[in-house]
Amino acid sequence: MEGHNYNVQESQYEDVLLMERYAGLMVPAFLLFGIFQIVLGFMGLEHFAGIWGVIGGVAAITFRFMLPLTIGTFMGAYGVFDWPIWVAALVTLPGLLFLVPALLADIVDYVRLRR
């Protein structure tokens, strides 16, 4: 490009510094949101199923089956906090995005082990 003195290495270095700055902010934000989802899930399970819901949630986490806690997150947002259904779905969506591929991978592993 004529007339431009563009240094690729310097630009890439600036991009890396920018990514590091945002990573330093995003990692704690994602951790806090994950903790919020877990607490909200247990609140929803406790509100709709009582102590047995909480026991079931702990058992589900113990056996790495996150569907009850994901459902509890939706119930906690919608039923306990009285948020609109679309906000409750948005709060629950990240859990579902990780749940579906993990569930499919478990099914595939089970089918492979049966052969």
Side-chain angles (χ1 to χ4, degrees), residues 36-62 65-81 92:
F36 172 73
Q37 277 188 317
I38 291 171
V39 170
L40 189 61
F42 278 111
M43 287 174 67
L45 288 173
E46 195 274 331
H47 180 72
F48 286 99
I51 188 67
W52 292 108
V54 174
I55 292 170
V58 170
I61 288 176
T62 302
F65 185 63
M66 299 305 291
L67 185 61
L69 197 59
T70 304
I71 294 170
T73 300
F74 180 80
M75 292 188 310
Y78 185 65
V80 177
F81 286 165
T92 307

Side-chain angles (χ1 to χ4, degrees), residues 40 73-74 77-78 82-93:
L40 189 61
T73 300
F74 180 80
Y78 185 65
D82 292 325
W83 289 348
I85 197 166
W86 64 273
V87 175
L90 279 177
V91 170
T92 307
L93 188 62

